[in-house]
Amino acid sequence: INAEYMGSPDLTLICEIILLSQGFADSEALARKITMLYELMDKQLSKQDHYDFGLRNIKAVLVQAGNLKKEAPPDCNEEGLLLKACSDMNLPKFVRDDVPLFLAMLGDLFPGVEPEDPGLADLRQKIKEELQEGRFQVLPHSIEKTVQLHETQETRHGVMVVGETGSGKTVSWKTLQGAMKRMKDADIGEYETVRSYLINPKSLSMDELYGTYNLATREWRDGILSYIMRQV
Protein backbone atom coordinates (compact mmCIF):
# COMPACT_ATOMS: atom_id res chain seq x y z
CA ILE A 1 0.00 0.00 0.00
CA ASN A 2 1.42 3.35 -1.05
CA ALA A 3 0.83 6.30 1.23
CA GLU A 4 -0.69 9.38 -0.38
CA TYR A 5 -0.76 12.97 0.80
CA MET A 6 -3.00 15.72 -0.48
CA GLY A 7 -2.62 19.33 0.58
CA SER A 8 -2.85 22.91 -0.61
CA PRO A 9 -0.01 24.11 -2.85
CA ASP A 10 2.58 26.42 -1.36
CA LEU A 11 1.61 29.54 -3.30
CA THR A 12 4.47 31.61 -1.90
CA LEU A 13 7.08 29.13 -3.10
CA ILE A 14 5.40 28.78 -6.50
CA CYS A 15 5.28 32.58 -6.91
CA GLU A 16 8.93 32.89 -5.90
CA ILE A 17 10.02 30.34 -8.49
CA ILE A 18 7.97 32.00 -11.25
CA LEU A 19 9.34 35.43 -10.36
CA LEU A 20 12.89 34.06 -10.38
CA SER A 21 12.29 32.58 -13.82
CA GLN A 22 11.04 35.99 -15.00
CA GLY A 23 14.26 37.66 -13.84
CA PHE A 24 13.15 39.34 -10.59
CA ALA A 25 16.02 39.73 -8.11
CA ASP A 26 13.84 40.34 -5.03
CA SER A 27 11.59 37.38 -5.77
CA GLU A 28 11.21 36.15 -2.17
CA ALA A 29 9.77 39.39 -0.77
CA LEU A 30 7.60 39.98 -3.83
CA ALA A 31 6.24 36.43 -3.65
CA ARG A 32 5.09 37.00 -0.08
CA LYS A 33 3.35 40.23 -1.10
CA ILE A 34 1.51 38.73 -4.07
CA THR A 35 0.38 35.75 -2.00
CA MET A 36 -0.91 38.00 0.78
CA LEU A 37 -2.70 40.19 -1.77
CA TYR A 38 -4.61 37.26 -3.26
CA GLU A 39 -5.49 35.89 0.16
CA LEU A 40 -6.94 39.28 1.12
CA MET A 41 -8.86 39.61 -2.15
CA ASP A 42 -10.35 36.14 -1.75
CA LYS A 43 -11.50 36.85 1.81
CA GLN A 44 -12.55 40.51 1.68
CA LEU A 45 -13.86 41.26 -1.80
CA SER A 46 -17.43 40.46 -2.80
CA LYS A 47 -18.29 37.13 -4.36
CA GLN A 48 -18.76 37.41 -8.12
CA ASP A 49 -19.03 34.65 -10.71
CA HIS A 50 -16.28 36.17 -12.87
CA TYR A 51 -13.75 36.61 -10.04
CA ASP A 52 -10.81 34.22 -10.03
CA PHE A 53 -8.17 34.42 -7.31
CA GLY A 54 -6.64 31.00 -7.86
CA LEU A 55 -3.23 29.90 -9.05
CA ARG A 56 -4.14 30.33 -12.73
CA ASN A 57 -4.78 34.04 -12.30
CA ILE A 58 -1.74 34.50 -10.08
CA LYS A 59 0.48 32.90 -12.72
CA ALA A 60 -0.98 35.15 -15.43
CA VAL A 61 -0.17 38.24 -13.32
CA LEU A 62 3.41 37.09 -12.68
CA VAL A 63 4.00 36.30 -16.35
CA GLN A 64 2.69 39.76 -17.27
CA ALA A 65 5.04 41.28 -14.68
CA GLY A 66 7.86 39.39 -16.39
CA ASN A 67 6.84 40.81 -19.76
CA LEU A 68 6.91 44.32 -18.30
CA LYS A 69 10.37 43.67 -16.85
CA LYS A 70 11.72 42.59 -20.24
CA GLU A 71 10.64 45.93 -21.71
CA ALA A 72 11.81 48.01 -18.74
CA PRO A 73 15.35 49.36 -18.15
CA PRO A 74 17.69 47.29 -15.95
CA ASP A 75 17.43 49.70 -13.00
CA CYS A 76 13.62 49.70 -12.92
CA ASN A 77 11.63 49.37 -9.70
CA GLU A 78 10.55 45.74 -9.48
CA GLU A 79 7.79 46.55 -6.98
CA GLY A 80 6.40 49.12 -9.41
CA LEU A 81 6.32 46.55 -12.22
CA LEU A 82 4.52 43.98 -10.06
CA LEU A 83 2.11 46.63 -8.81
CA LYS A 84 1.25 47.61 -12.39
CA ALA A 85 0.73 43.97 -13.40
CA CYS A 86 -1.57 43.35 -10.41
CA SER A 87 -3.55 46.49 -11.17
CA ASP A 88 -3.83 45.96 -14.94
CA MET A 89 -4.85 42.32 -14.65
CA ASN A 90 -7.38 42.70 -11.83
CA LEU A 91 -8.80 46.22 -11.63
CA PRO A 92 -10.88 46.11 -14.86
CA LYS A 93 -12.95 43.13 -13.68
CA PHE A 94 -13.90 44.44 -10.23
CA VAL A 95 -17.36 45.80 -9.50
CA ARG A 96 -17.51 49.41 -8.32
CA ASP A 97 -17.77 48.67 -4.60
CA ASP A 98 -14.65 46.48 -4.64
CA VAL A 99 -12.35 49.00 -6.34
CA PRO A 100 -11.59 51.20 -3.27
CA LEU A 101 -10.90 48.12 -1.14
CA PHE A 102 -8.55 46.67 -3.76
CA LEU A 103 -6.66 49.96 -4.08
CA ALA A 104 -6.35 50.12 -0.29
CA MET A 105 -4.84 46.62 -0.29
CA LEU A 106 -2.30 47.66 -2.90
CA GLY A 107 -1.46 50.75 -0.85
CA ASP A 108 -0.86 48.66 2.28
CA LEU A 109 1.29 46.03 0.56
CA PHE A 110 3.21 48.46 -1.68
CA PRO A 111 3.49 51.62 0.46
CA GLY A 112 4.87 54.61 -1.39
CA VAL A 113 5.26 52.65 -4.64
CA GLU A 114 3.89 54.12 -7.86
CA PRO A 115 3.06 51.79 -10.78
CA GLU A 116 5.21 52.18 -13.86
CA ASP A 117 3.77 54.65 -16.37
CA PRO A 118 2.21 52.69 -19.29
CA GLY A 119 2.84 55.59 -21.67
CA LEU A 120 -0.68 55.75 -23.08
CA ALA A 121 -1.14 59.53 -23.11
CA ASP A 122 -1.53 59.59 -26.90
CA LEU A 123 -4.13 56.82 -26.81
CA ARG A 124 -6.08 58.65 -24.10
CA GLN A 125 -6.14 61.77 -26.28
CA LYS A 126 -7.44 59.79 -29.27
CA ILE A 127 -10.10 58.18 -27.07
CA LYS A 128 -11.19 61.65 -25.99
CA GLU A 129 -11.37 62.79 -29.62
CA GLU A 130 -13.39 59.71 -30.57
CA LEU A 131 -15.89 60.33 -27.77
CA GLN A 132 -16.24 63.97 -28.77
CA GLU A 133 -16.86 63.03 -32.40
CA GLY A 134 -19.56 60.58 -31.27
CA ARG A 135 -21.13 63.37 -29.20
CA PHE A 136 -20.66 61.48 -25.95
CA GLN A 137 -19.80 63.06 -22.63
CA VAL A 138 -16.05 62.91 -22.11
CA LEU A 139 -15.87 61.55 -18.58
CA PRO A 140 -12.68 60.34 -16.84
CA HIS A 141 -14.45 57.07 -16.02
CA SER A 142 -15.30 56.44 -19.69
CA ILE A 143 -11.71 57.09 -20.78
CA GLU A 144 -10.31 54.91 -17.99
CA LYS A 145 -12.60 51.98 -18.82
CA THR A 146 -11.63 52.17 -22.49
CA VAL A 147 -7.94 52.20 -21.57
CA GLN A 148 -8.52 49.23 -19.25
CA LEU A 149 -10.14 47.34 -22.12
CA HIS A 150 -7.07 48.01 -24.26
CA GLU A 151 -4.68 46.86 -21.52
CA THR A 152 -6.76 43.73 -20.90
CA GLN A 153 -6.71 42.83 -24.59
CA GLU A 154 -2.93 43.19 -24.55
CA THR A 155 -2.64 40.55 -21.82
CA ARG A 156 -5.53 38.15 -22.53
CA HIS A 157 -6.44 35.94 -25.48
CA GLY A 158 -10.15 36.47 -24.94
CA VAL A 159 -12.05 39.29 -23.25
CA MET A 160 -15.66 39.45 -22.07
CA VAL A 161 -17.23 42.86 -21.41
CA VAL A 162 -20.02 42.54 -18.84
CA GLY A 163 -22.35 45.09 -17.30
CA GLU A 164 -25.92 46.29 -17.07
CA THR A 165 -27.87 47.55 -20.08
CA GLY A 166 -26.86 51.11 -20.88
CA SER A 167 -23.64 50.98 -18.88
CA GLY A 168 -21.45 51.77 -21.91
CA LYS A 169 -20.14 48.36 -23.00
CA THR A 170 -20.67 48.93 -26.73
CA VAL A 171 -19.46 52.53 -26.57
CA SER A 172 -16.28 51.35 -24.83
CA TRP A 173 -15.15 48.84 -27.45
CA LYS A 174 -16.28 50.94 -30.40
CA THR A 175 -14.44 53.97 -28.98
CA LEU A 176 -11.28 51.89 -28.58
CA GLN A 177 -11.65 50.67 -32.15
CA GLY A 178 -11.91 54.23 -33.43
CA ALA A 179 -9.06 55.46 -31.24
CA MET A 180 -6.73 52.72 -32.49
CA LYS A 181 -7.55 53.68 -36.08
CA ARG A 182 -6.69 57.29 -35.26
CA MET A 183 -3.38 56.13 -33.76
CA LYS A 184 -2.64 54.13 -36.92
CA ASP A 185 -3.50 57.06 -39.20
CA ALA A 186 -1.27 59.36 -37.13
CA ASP A 187 1.54 56.75 -37.23
CA ILE A 188 1.84 56.74 -33.43
CA GLY A 189 3.11 53.52 -31.90
CA GLU A 190 2.50 50.00 -33.16
CA TYR A 191 -1.26 50.21 -33.62
CA GLU A 192 -3.33 48.60 -36.35
CA THR A 193 -6.77 49.33 -37.77
CA VAL A 194 -9.32 47.08 -36.06
CA ARG A 195 -12.10 45.32 -37.99
CA SER A 196 -15.06 44.00 -36.04
CA TYR A 197 -17.35 41.09 -36.87
CA LEU A 198 -20.55 40.68 -34.87
CA ILE A 199 -21.61 37.06 -34.31
CA ASN A 200 -24.34 35.53 -32.18
CA PRO A 201 -22.81 32.13 -31.29
CA LYS A 202 -26.02 30.94 -29.61
CA SER A 203 -27.79 30.96 -32.99
CA LEU A 204 -25.22 28.61 -34.56
CA SER A 205 -24.27 24.99 -34.12
CA MET A 206 -20.67 24.02 -33.37
CA ASP A 207 -20.14 22.93 -36.98
CA GLU A 208 -21.58 26.18 -38.31
CA LEU A 209 -19.41 28.19 -35.97
CA TYR A 210 -16.05 26.40 -36.29
CA GLY A 211 -16.41 24.27 -39.43
CA THR A 212 -16.78 20.56 -40.10
CA TYR A 213 -14.92 17.72 -41.81
CA ASN A 214 -17.01 15.39 -43.98
CA LEU A 215 -15.73 11.85 -43.43
CA ALA A 216 -17.48 10.53 -46.54
CA THR A 217 -16.11 13.05 -49.04
CA ARG A 218 -13.01 14.02 -47.00
CA GLU A 219 -13.77 17.67 -47.53
CA TRP A 220 -13.48 20.51 -45.05
CA ARG A 221 -16.23 23.08 -44.86
CA ASP A 222 -15.46 26.38 -43.16
CA GLY A 223 -17.59 27.66 -40.34
CA ILE A 224 -18.24 31.32 -39.64
CA LEU A 225 -15.14 31.79 -37.47
CA SER A 226 -12.75 29.92 -39.74
CA TYR A 227 -14.09 31.85 -42.78
CA ILE A 228 -13.51 35.18 -41.01
CA MET A 229 -9.98 34.14 -39.98
CA ARG A 230 -9.15 33.38 -43.62
CA GLN A 231 -10.34 36.84 -44.64
CA VAL A 232 -8.31 38.53 -41.91
Side-chain angles (χ1 to χ4, degrees):
I1 299 177
N2 294 327
E4 294 184 2
Y5 170 77
M6 298 182 65
S8 300
D10 188 340
L11 292 181
T12 304
L13 180 59
I14 294 174
C15 291
E16 182 180 351
I17 293 172
I18 295 176
L19 287 169
L20 274 173
S21 68
Q22 297 294 336
F24 283 82
D26 196 15
S27 59
E28 184 176 354
L30 294 177
R32 289 197 299 268
K33 290 190 175 186
I34 195 71
T35 304
M36 179 61 69
L37 174 64
Y38 273 80
E39 288 178 355
L40 291 173
M41 288 194 294
D42 188 37
K43 294 177 181 177
Q44 298 186 21
L45 298 186
S46 63
K47 305 302 178 184
Q48 305 290 333
D49 291 337
H50 63 281
Y51 283 5
D52 176 20
F53 303 128
L55 183 58
R56 178 178 58 180
N57 192 32
I58 295 176
K59 184 177 185 297
V61 169
L62 298 180
V63 171
Q64 174 60 12
N67 293 334
L68 293 174
K69 185 169 178 59
K70 293 174 185 176
E71 301 172 358
D75 59 344
C76 65
N77 184 352
E78 292 185 345
E79 284 194 341
L81 295 176
L82 186 60
L83 176 59
K84 175 172 170 49
C86 290
S87 179
D88 291 350
M89 299 286 283
N90 289 295
L91 194 58
K93 67 184 178 185
F94 289 145
V95 298
R96 182 183 303 173
D97 293 340
D98 286 336
V99 171
L101 185 55
F102 173 69
L103 295 177
M105 293 177 187
L106 291 180
D108 291 340
L109 290 171
F110 299 92
V113 179
E114 292 293 332
E116 293 293 319
D117 182 15
L120 298 176
D122 291 328
L123 179 61
R124 289 178 182 272
Q125 179 60 32
K126 298 303 180 184
I127 290 172
K128 182 179 179 180
E129 294 174 5
E130 190 70 17
L131 289 171
Q132 289 173 336
E133 185 174 306
R135 297 187 177 182
F136 294 105
Q137 287 183 302
V138 182
L139 302 174
H141 177 75
S142 301
I143 296 175
E144 190 61 33
K145 278 298 177 183
T146 306
V147 171
Q148 287 178 357
L149 177 59
H150 168 70
E151 292 178 333
T152 304
Q153 287 182 321
E154 291 290 302
T155 57
R156 304 282 188 180
H157 293 295
V159 178
M160 181 181 296
V161 182
V162 298
E164 297 180 355
T165 302
S167 60
K169 301 185 296 296
T170 303
V171 172
S172 181
W173 72 260
K174 285 188 175 181
T175 299
L176 179 59
Q177 180 182 13
M180 293 182 70
K181 183 179 185 303
R182 289 173 182 267
M183 295 288 283
K184 173 68 174 179
D185 294 342
D187 196 22
I188 302 175
E190 298 180 357
Y191 291 88
E192 296 292 338
T193 300
V194 178
R195 288 182 286 176
S196 59
Y197 299 87
L198 303 182
I199 302 172
N200 181 8
K202 294 182 179 179
S203 66
L204 304 169
S205 66
M206 294 293 286
D207 290 346
E208 291 172 333
L209 188 61
Y210 293 106
T212 181
Y213 181 73
N214 191 317
L215 294 176
T217 61
R218 297 183 181 277
E219 293 180 345
W220 169 260
R221 182 177 181 180
D222 279 339
I224 299 295
L225 283 180
S226 50
Y227 173 78
I228 289 175
M229 292 303 295
R230 290 185 191 277
Q231 303 307 310
V232 172

